[in-house]
Every structure is written in structure tokens, then in C-alpha cells.
Amino acid sequence: MTQGRSTHSSDSARFAAGPHAVVTRRGAERAERGHPWIYKSDVSEIRAAPGDVVDVISPRGHKIGQALFSDRSEITLRLIERGERSFDQQTLDERLDAAIAYRESLAIDANAYRLVHAEADRLPSLVVDRYDDVLVVQALSQGMDRLLPQVARWLENRFGPRGILIRHDARARLLEGLGQSVEVLRGEVPETVVVRDRDVAYEVDPRRGQKTGAFLDQRENRWAAAEAARGRLLDCFSYDGGFALRMARRVSEAVALDLSDDAVARITRNATRNGLDNVRAERSKAFDFLRAAERAGERFDTIVLDPPAFAKNRASLPRALAGYKEINLRALKMLTRGGTLVSCSCSYHVGEELLLDVVRAAAHDAGATVSVIEKRGQSRDHPVLLDVPETHYLKCLILRTL
């Protein structure tokens, strides 16, 4: 059903006869600065159906480009092409080709990684992850949902995968007025897939696992942090043992914590699969364990803090910062001199400088002198767009106590 909304008459409407959206001056300026999102408040006129690819027109009638239109999301327009060129099947194929060529250029020593990273591959709201011979796909907007059949055909022709799984259980789809489901689109998808990251093998649950099955964005950070690991390791919020498994051969003992019974069982299986008898998985809430261990006078030489997003929006930021400070403070109090702290945040609203401020305050309260070994972000298969700060969500600090 075509929608119509206009706040004023405009020559812009006559400029585009097909599906189009006229944006305000602020919306046009945002697009011209390179950001692909235009919010509902910056759209003055719409002639389109939900999920259409629309011409985006400035207040003066200039075509800015084309975008995926959503009639439900606050992000009403997601720019998918700029200038006069139209987005079509050829463009879609070119974007997918470019995304895969980039991953191939990275020579990733793993068979589980991200193939398409949405806006950063100029395919807004499309995520494609590889788990060996299984592909997991998410279409997180009305427009990309409509393009999904073309995307799936391209992936099938390019990779010939064992199966393609659609993970449409993300909350973002609710904001788009789309249904939630997890279903096999092509071929067959097993309950678990065993994948390889260098010399570490681990299992993934593509249907029920976090994100599309695993936290692929931490892959490179785990190996970088492993180089600094030694002695006794505590891996908090471990999930599938990501950091613990990579560090296990460098440490004397690895304690991996997670609140989920399934996660604890998975860590144990992964440790056995890799012949690691020094990894112990424990079901525990990280906050409680840190508090009790600090009071008991326990000491660790390496501590990893990789919590879920504490700040899902700006309103939750103060409470989130208090949480980040508490876990970093308790970790620093238990860390031996010369020990390594890996402190992460996947909250977009907690920028790198803010995370550094939190750790700095925690170090001061703990009476610790701390040096920064590395400041890192998400793995290179999850690239960051320079003009889109929202794509830089993962921060990883590798620190050393003096």
C-alpha cells in the first residue's frame, strides 16, 4: 500500500514519479556527510510502499540517491545508492562480490567469520555469517527482507553451502514491524556445527546461539590477548570459552565463567575437543564471583572481562558505567603485578575514551598502576565505516599492571 505524507507542496514530488521520499534540509545534510541513515523526523514526504527502494530527494529537488524505505522504523530511510545510479540486481551482485573479495583478501585462518557486514559493505541491514559449510543470514529491515530471495540465490550460486539458515529472531525486526522466526531457507542445517579458528575447534549452535551462533567479532582480539596471557586465567562472561580456549596453552589454569548451564556444558565440550585439561567451566554470575573471589583474596595473572552490552541506550548509560567500573575494579584488585587485564565493551554508547575513563577510575580506586598494551576494535571482517560511528561498537583494551 502506497503511503502519502507531506508537510508542504514541493517541486520535489514532481521530480520523482516513482517511489520516492523528500527529506528535510537536515536529512539532506546528514546524507551528504556520508551517513546512510535518515530518520523519520527528517522525512517530509513519502510516496512508497513498505520495503520499496525509493529515490531520495532533497528539499530543492536534487536526487541524493536511493534508499530502503521502512514505514515502521525510526530509521525511515537507509541509503543504498548515491547519486543518479539506480540500485538493481547488478548493483546487489557487485556489492556481494566486493564483500566476499574483501574477506578473501584477509586470508582468515578460520572457517567461521562474517561475509557481509550490513552498512559497512554498503548493504544496509544485511548480515551473512559463515560457519564452515553453513551460512546464517539476517535481513533486519523491511527493504532488505524483500531483497532476501535475491540474496539467497546469489549465496547459493556462489558458495553451494550445505544449508542457509535465516536467523530472524533479532529484536531489530520487531522495530521494523517484521515477524520473528528461525528457519532453514536452503538445504540442511545441523543442530550444531563444529568450526575452526586457527588450531582451536569449537561448536556453534546456529539456531539458538548468541547473535548468529557465535561472537565472531572478537576473533582477532582473542588471539591478540592470548599473546599477553600467562599464569592463572579468569575468563568472565565466557559464553563458548572464546578467550579461555585461545589462552589455555599459555596459562597454567583457566577458569571460565558463564551463567548459562548450556554455555558451561559447551565450554567443557570445547575444552575436551581441543585436549585442554586445564580449562574449568563454572556456572556463576560474574559479578558475584568477582565479589566473592576478591573478598577471599584470590589472585589471577590474567583476567578477561567481555560482558554483554550493559548500555543498550543512552538512558541506561549511568547504570552501565557503574557496572563496568565494578567489574574492572574487582578484577584489578585480584590481578597480580605484571598481570594482564582484557576489558571489553560491545555497547555503542560506551565509546573508547569513556571505557578508558572507567578503567582509569577503577585503577585509581584499586591503587593500581596500569599501562595500555593495545586498544582494539572488532575483527577486520566486521569493518567500521568512517562516517558511521554506530558501526564502531566493540572496544577491547589489553592492559598490564605495573
Side-chain angles (χ1 to χ4, degrees):
M1 175 178 169
T2 299
Q3 295 198 353
R5 183 176 83 237
S6 177
T7 57
H8 60 279
S9 62
S10 167
D11 292 336
S12 309
R14 292 193 295 273
F15 178 86
H20 66 273
V22 181
V23 300
T24 64
R25 179 180 175 182
R26 185 173 65 177
E29 289 174 348
R30 180 177 174 85
E32 287 163 4
R33 288 196 300 269
H35 205 294
W37 298 349
I38 298 177
Y39 293 97
K40 184 180 294 185
S41 59
D42 289 322
V43 178
S44 58
E45 182 179 325
I46 285 286
R47 291 287 185 271
D52 275 353
V53 174
V54 301
D55 288 340
V56 181
I57 311 300
S58 75
R60 295 185 176 183
H62 169 69
K63 182 180 175 182
I64 297 170
Q66 288 193 315
L68 303 178
F69 165 59
S70 171
D71 70 337
R72 296 286 295 274
S73 173
E74 287 299 314
I75 305 173
T76 298
L77 302 174
R78 299 172 187 264
L79 283 164
I80 200 163
E81 188 60 272
R82 294 178 183 274
E84 294 298 324
R85 183 178 176 181
S86 295
F87 183 84
D88 53 19
Q89 184 65 51
Q90 180 180 345
T91 314
L92 176 62
D93 293 348
E94 289 172 356
R95 300 275 170 87
L96 290 166
D97 275 326
I100 303 311
Y102 169 63
R103 273 64 182 188
E104 290 175 342
S105 75
L106 298 177
I108 298 170
D109 188 7
N111 63 3
Y113 50 86
R114 179 147 295 182
L115 293 172
V116 179
H117 190 48
E119 278 76 0
D121 284 305
R122 296 190 298 164
L123 290 166
S125 63
L126 176 65
V127 170
V128 183
D129 286 339
R130 175 193 175 190
Y131 295 104
D132 192 19
D133 55 0
V134 170
L135 302 181
V136 182
V137 181
Q138 292 180 317
L140 302 176
S141 71
Q142 293 177 354
M144 193 54 70
D145 192 67
R146 191 189 290 187
L147 292 171
L148 188 57
Q150 293 106 291
V151 171
R153 280 196 298 272
W154 189 95
L155 292 171
E156 190 166 38
N157 291 335
R158 175 65 173 78
F159 293 101
R162 176 181 179 182
I164 299 177
L165 182 72
I166 301 301
R167 277 291 298 263
H168 280 171
D169 52 345
R171 181 176 178 273
R173 284 181 59 90
L174 295 179
L175 301 177
E176 293 278 332
L178 297 170
Q180 290 187 305
S181 63
V182 177
E183 57 186 288
V184 176
L185 188 65
R186 300 275 197 281
E188 61 174 7
V189 177
E191 290 300 309
T192 60
V193 181
V194 176
V195 296
R196 179 189 60 82
D197 182 11
R198 296 190 188 178
D199 61 349
V200 172
Y202 64 101
E203 69 177 55
V204 172
D205 182 343
R207 288 177 174 81
R208 291 168 291 275
Q210 295 289 332
K211 292 196 169 183
T212 62
F215 292 102
L216 299 175
D217 48 8
Q218 285 280 30
R219 191 189 67 257
E220 293 175 354
N221 294 335
R222 291 169 183 142
W223 289 113
E227 293 180 6
R230 65 177 182 85
R232 193 174 184 225
L233 163 68
L234 176 64
D235 181 13
C236 300
F237 311 97
S238 188
Y239 183 53
D240 60 3
F243 280 93
L245 295 174
R246 275 72 172 181
M247 294 178 167
R249 291 189 175 93
R250 291 178 173 265
V251 301
S252 57
E253 177 191 6
V255 180
L257 307 179
D258 202 279
L259 189 57
S260 162
D261 287 326
D262 287 343
V264 170
R266 186 165 50 247
I267 294 168
T268 301
R269 289 194 299 271
N270 284 334
T272 301
R273 179 176 284 112
N274 290 277
L276 301 171
D277 58 8
N278 63 335
V279 175
R280 173 168 58 89
E282 183 173 329
R283 184 184 182 280
S284 179
K285 186 175 182 180
F287 280 91
D288 294 342
F289 183 96
L290 287 166
R291 193 177 299 117
E294 186 222 326
R295 289 173 179 168
E298 287 209 53
R299 305 286 278 173
F300 292 90
D301 305 291
T302 306
I303 299 179
V304 177
L305 303 174
D306 183 22
F310 288 168
K312 296 187 181 296
N313 51 56
R314 289 193 180 277
S316 62
L317 191 55
R319 185 174 180 180
L321 294 178
Y324 284 120
K325 183 180 178 183
E326 179 181 344
I327 60 175
N328 280 277
L329 172 60
R330 297 192 184 281
L332 286 166
K333 285 184 175 181
M334 290 192 293
L335 205 57
T336 58
R337 187 179 297 274
T340 298
L341 172 63
V342 181
S343 184
C344 306
S345 169
C346 60
S347 300
Y348 157 68
H349 296 287
V350 179
E352 184 177 89
E353 289 304 314
L354 194 51
L355 181 60
L356 282 166
D357 286 344
V358 167
V359 177
R360 189 179 296 114
H364 181 269
D365 289 356
T369 301
V370 178
S371 63
V372 178
I373 300 174
E374 281 193 80
K375 294 186 285 187
R376 302 178 59 86
Q378 58 250 37
S379 298
R380 292 171 296 162
D381 53 337
H382 293 64
V384 173
L385 272 183
L386 193 60
D387 295 317
V388 187
E390 292 86 351
T391 60
H392 183 205
Y393 63 92
L394 180 61
K395 282 72 59 177
C396 177
L397 305 177
I398 304 177
L399 309 160
R400 178 173 178 264
T401 57
L402 302 178

